[in-house]
Amino acid sequence: MLGVLTRISKQVMRCGVSSCLGVLLFVVLLYSWPASGSDALSAQQWDQWSKLLHFKNGSSTISSSEFFLSENGSFDAEAELIATLSAFTSPSTMAHCRYPARYLWVKENFGSDLALSLQDCEEYQQWIQHSKTESVSLVYVTGYLGNPASFFGHLMMKFNRQGDNKSDIELLDTGINFGANAHPDDNPVKYVLYGIFGGYTATYTTATYYLHTGNYAENEQRELWEYELSLTNQEVALIQAHLFELQDVDFNYYFLSDNCSTAFKDILNIVLDQPLDTGIQPWDMPIDIFHVIPNVLHHGQPLVKKVNQRQSKYSRIQNKYLALSDDEKQQALSIAKDLSELESFMQSGDFSEYEKAKVLDVLTEYTELLVVTTDETKNNYKEQKRKLLLARLKLNSFNVDWPKSEAKPPHLSQLPINLGIGSGYSDDYGGYVSLRGFGAYYDFLSIDAARLKDSSLTVMDTELHITKDKLRLKKLDFLNVASLNTNDVDLFENDRLAWQFALSLEQFKCDNDECYRPYFKGYLGLAARRSNSLTVYSMIGGQVDFAYLDDSAIKFPLGVLYSWPEHWKTHLRIVPSLDLNGSGWDYHLYGDSRFHISNEADIRISIEKSHDKLVGVYYNRYF
């Protein structure tokens, strides 16, 4: 405290009493306080001040120089505090209206309102009155494999309005987003390179929550999971005021380390006594926070008050369609194919009014999805929706009791980083000890929670074999992404292709020793879910050998995914191939089974027949 007072005093001496009277009076007030106990700024208070400036490793991650009142404010938190106090004690500047969170912090920690009031700040009052915030939620948006920037999911924040407890009203809440300021026309290569190496800035943006749900849940068919937090009114006000300060402020942006997950973790850490510890990984992933916050205590109570799922349009249709009886499903299919069947269905005595309401509700939601995902000039789905709604109005006005979704929330999903150890036997080199792992995120056998079902997304998936004579690299998949695009709702045509692509370095048998080949693999095909437990797929594609192009091959992967009783899951895959070097047909066989222990551990059994024959057992830990 003494250092701050001394620097303020020097500033007053330089500027003169007439122009810095407010600062002088404030210094007198500070000197009159005891310099010990609660009146001195503690390390925790300084830490919170630094967080309001977004300091890390001695400087701020904010790249907008105009955010700072001191010319050294981006790397000197004390200088920025002095400049802030100087601005606040000059009432004509109205600086407290530009920095309401700083003002709240000063008021709380110095015990004076400086004869100022946020009620005088018109723009700020409009901001808080519009949102009428009662509580704050963190929102996890599941990954979207249609866009590389969305592979790993997304995180945002929501201001919950006072007294709103119905889902349709909650859409009027305020959504806070954080994202890179990329140009819409930037190509994927530029986006990835700029995102990784810091070519973009990023900002917090504000929009009504229904705009976010419209984009994520209705257009991209992603699930939103809302975790409402138990924060005090004072903490909610500080977060809200700080996000007001950050409007139009640019941040440094890095796809791996300073992203949406980092941004909202920083916001939340401002009001938490202990910073969120999201693990040992050198990058931030959106789902990491949600694995942590259910176990965090805040003021002696769980930080998470409740968890709410906002389903995608497809998930809502799926949930309702699977709840129909076989006869109801058949009737829904008939009407979806030929709307003229609607009249005879309404007149039929084979279905009760309640059963008719169920069919019409499913068809209405199905048609609403078609309205936003298809070309209206080719299909008049708006008219179809109108006729369905008119038919529904002819029935008694009651709500259908649909079953609740049983989806697992993000904090129950598998943790994203894998490290495993195992042992096995190879026909080529005998017994071995295996070290394996990936940096992110999940594979076909992972827990079906907060991710697209029947999909895989792994980065740096590596396996090493330790034998009696050497260390061998079994494989290194730099990136392996697959989506079977299975369809549970017969209303939709099964016209979405299953696909997979991978970039890898793999062991290959050469004369007298093994060698390593870099590959690109790409496949397209079809998949179908035969039951809730069984999925089958077939694809066609190729494997490009970058080292020896003549050794590239056309491949035809065929596979089965089967979920046994709760803890078991199996993936069998056979890959016939036709080599372009003229050596003819061959095939590879892979089999993997997972025994689930928890979202932090499992045991796997693996068999493989390729240029070698291998069998192994592995224990995997997830972080």
Side-chain angles (χ1 to χ4, degrees):
M1 172 70 78
L2 184 58
V4 176
L5 295 175
T6 302
R7 292 178 67 175
I8 296 177
S9 299
K10 290 179 178 179
Q11 181 178 344
V12 173
M13 295 295 291
R14 288 196 299 269
C15 69
V17 174
S18 60
S19 60
C20 293
L21 180 60
V23 179
L24 180 61
L25 292 175
F26 193 59
V27 171
V28 173
L29 175 63
L30 290 177
Y31 270 117
S32 69
W33 289 355
S36 61
S38 61
D39 296 314
L41 287 180
S42 66
Q44 185 176 359
Q45 290 169 315
W46 273 113
D47 182 60
Q48 189 176 47
W49 173 253
S50 297
K51 289 175 180 176
L52 286 172
L53 303 179
H54 292 261
F55 268 49
K56 292 182 182 179
N57 301 319
S59 63
S60 177
T61 58
I62 294 175
S63 58
S64 296
S65 59
E66 60 271 19
F67 178 77
F68 302 97
L69 294 172
S70 167
E71 62 179 11
N72 298 327
S74 63
F75 56 86
D76 188 340
E78 190 174 300
E80 187 64 16
L81 176 56
I82 293 170
T84 300
L85 295 175
S86 176
F88 285 173
T89 50
S90 300
S92 61
T93 66
M94 298 293 286
H96 67 297
C97 294
R98 170 66 183 89
Y99 300 100
R102 295 192 193 187
Y103 172 74
L104 291 174
W105 183 89
V106 168
K107 182 179 177 181
E108 171 68 19
N109 290 282
F110 288 92
S112 172
D113 64 6
L114 309 180
L116 300 173
S117 173
L118 292 178
Q119 294 295 326
D120 300 329
C121 305
E122 182 178 352
E123 186 177 352
Y124 176 66
Q125 289 301 319
Q126 288 177 352
W127 160 271
I128 62 174
Q129 289 301 319
H130 172 74
S131 59
K132 297 181 181 178
T133 302
E134 182 178 53
S135 64
V136 169
S137 294
L138 284 182
V139 181
Y140 178 71
V141 186
T142 57
Y144 174 56
L145 296 184
N147 182 351
S150 304
F151 277 0
F152 299 98
H154 186 57
L155 191 155
M156 56 185 294
M157 184 172 276
K158 182 163 77 78
F159 292 161
N160 304 312
R161 293 164 62 88
Q162 295 174 356
D164 294 350
N165 53 17
K166 295 182 179 180
S167 60
D168 54 342
I169 299 178
E170 287 175 357
L171 293 176
L172 299 176
D173 291 341
T174 300
I176 310 294
N177 212 347
F178 182 88
N181 297 320
H183 193 278
D185 296 332
D186 285 354
N187 62 64
V189 174
K190 178 180 178 180
Y191 184 88
V192 170
L193 292 177
Y194 273 43
I196 292 176
F197 297 107
Y200 291 123
T201 60
T203 53
Y204 291 92
T205 56
T206 304
T208 307
Y209 190 52
Y210 79 82
L211 294 176
H212 296 295
T213 60
N215 180 45
Y216 295 133
E218 307 301 309
N219 294 336
E220 296 180 352
Q221 304 307 311
R222 302 163 73 175
E223 309 294 311
L224 284 75
W225 290 89
E226 304 166 6
Y227 286 62
E228 186 177 350
L229 307 178
S230 293
L231 301 177
T232 66
N233 293 337
Q234 185 179 15
E235 290 164 346
V236 170
L238 185 62
I239 288 177
Q240 190 176 16
H242 185 52
L243 285 167
F244 174 83
E245 295 176 346
L246 296 179
Q247 295 180 101
D248 303 319
V249 172
D250 290 336
F251 284 76
N252 301 319
Y253 179 83
Y254 294 90
F255 183 70
L256 297 177
S257 59
D258 289 280
N259 51 37
C260 62
S261 178
T262 319
F264 287 107
K265 182 168 61 175
D266 290 346
I267 295 294
L268 192 55
N269 279 337
I270 291 172
V271 298
L272 297 182
D273 293 334
Q274 297 294 327
L276 292 175
D277 181 5
T278 53
I280 61 174
Q281 69 271 24
W283 47 77
D284 278 333
M285 300 180 67
I287 203 167
D288 290 333
I289 291 180
F290 297 91
H291 282 132
V292 173
I293 57 175
N295 301 316
V296 173
L297 293 179
H298 188 54
H299 303 305
Q301 299 295 324
L303 176 60
V304 175
K305 183 185 299 183
K306 65 179 180 179
V307 179
N308 178 53
Q309 180 191 16
R310 185 168 295 279
Q311 291 182 302
S312 68
K313 174 73 80 173
Y314 179 84
S315 293
R316 294 199 301 272
I317 296 169
Q318 178 189 51
N319 191 51
K320 294 178 179 181
Y321 180 78
L322 295 179
L324 298 178
S325 68
D326 289 342
D327 289 341
E328 291 164 352
K329 288 178 182 177
Q330 187 57 50
Q331 193 62 58
L333 283 170
S334 298
I335 298 172
K337 292 178 180 178
D338 184 358
L339 191 61
S340 65
E341 295 288 330
L342 177 61
E343 185 177 352
S344 60
F345 170 66
M346 294 300 295
Q347 296 175 354
S348 172
D350 297 333
F351 298 92
S352 67
E353 286 209 348
Y354 186 78
E355 291 168 332
K356 290 176 182 178
K358 290 169 62 180
V359 172
L360 291 176
D361 284 0
V362 170
L363 286 171
T364 300
E365 288 228 49
Y366 164 70
T367 306
E368 287 175 347
L369 181 58
L370 295 179
V371 168
V372 299
T373 58
T374 60
D375 186 351
E376 182 65 19
T377 61
K378 297 181 180 179
N379 298 285
N380 192 7
Y381 289 120
K382 289 183 179 179
E383 176 62 17
Q384 180 171 313
K385 176 185 174 181
R386 187 185 71 83
K387 291 181 178 179
L388 290 168
L389 290 174
L390 287 174
R392 180 67 171 86
L393 289 173
K394 295 177 181 179
L395 304 175
N396 289 329
S397 57
F398 47 75
N399 292 323
V400 176
D401 185 20
W402 295 108
K404 293 183 179 180
S405 170
E406 297 180 356
K408 295 180 180 179
H411 66 272
L412 297 181
S413 67
Q414 183 175 285
L415 276 67
I417 295 178
N418 166 242
L419 290 175
I421 187 170
S423 64
Y425 182 83
S426 160
D427 262 8
D428 283 350
Y429 44 82
Y432 62 84
V433 173
S434 173
L435 301 176
R436 63 192 307 186
F438 51 71
Y441 189 28
Y442 58 85
D443 60 14
F444 280 126
L445 299 184
S446 297
I447 300 171
D448 287 322
R451 70 179 182 92
L452 182 64
K453 190 174 177 64
D454 295 337
S455 65
S456 175
L457 170 58
T458 57
V459 179
M460 303 302 291
D461 188 357
T462 308
E463 183 172 356
L464 301 172
H465 286 178
I466 304 171
T467 64
K468 60 183 180 181
D469 60 339
K470 66 189 308 182
L471 175 67
R472 305 165 189 264
L473 176 66
K474 173 65 174 64
K475 71 168 184 178
L476 170 56
D477 285 350
F478 298 101
L479 179 65
N480 192 338
V481 187
S483 177
L484 300 186
N485 280 323
T486 44
N487 177 23
D488 286 324
V489 181
D490 295 333
L491 293 171
F492 297 100
E493 295 183 14
N494 195 20
D495 57 357
R496 297 188 302 169
L497 293 176
W499 56 270
Q500 179 183 14
F501 68 83
L503 186 63
S504 64
L505 184 69
E506 296 182 17
Q507 184 186 103
F508 187 84
K509 189 172 183 179
C510 301
D511 294 337
N512 301 321
D513 201 355
E514 78 275 356
C515 58
Y516 301 99
R517 300 282 185 87
Y519 295 114
F520 172 78
K521 305 173 185 178
Y523 310 107
L524 291 174
L526 296 174
R529 192 170 297 146
R530 299 303 182 188
S531 69
N532 192 44
S533 301
L534 176 65
T535 299
V536 297
Y537 65 88
S538 63
M539 301 186 198
I540 182 172
Q543 173 179 284
V544 178
D545 187 326
F546 291 118
Y548 299 92
L549 290 177
D550 289 346
D551 286 343
S552 300
I554 301 173
K555 292 180 173 286
F556 306 87
L558 307 169
V560 174
L561 282 168
Y562 188 77
S563 298
W564 301 78
E566 184 179 358
H567 295 290
W568 279 100
K569 197 170 186 180
T570 297
H571 181 204
L572 298 177
R573 179 180 175 100
I574 184 170
V575 187
S577 63
L578 178 63
D579 294 336
L580 300 182
N581 60 14
S583 60
W585 286 89
D586 195 3
Y587 77 94
H588 292 178
L589 176 66
Y590 306 90
D592 292 283
S593 287
R594 173 185 62 85
F595 176 74
H596 168 73
I597 299 175
S598 70
N599 66 343
E600 297 180 357
D602 64 35
I603 295 173
R604 300 198 181 200
I605 301 172
S606 176
I607 60 172
E608 176 183 331
K609 183 274 172 190
S610 53
H611 60 83
D612 189 9
K613 297 183 180 70
L614 304 98
V615 60
V617 179
Y618 309 88
Y619 173 74
N620 296 285
R621 286 285 296 176
Y622 300 92
F623 304 90

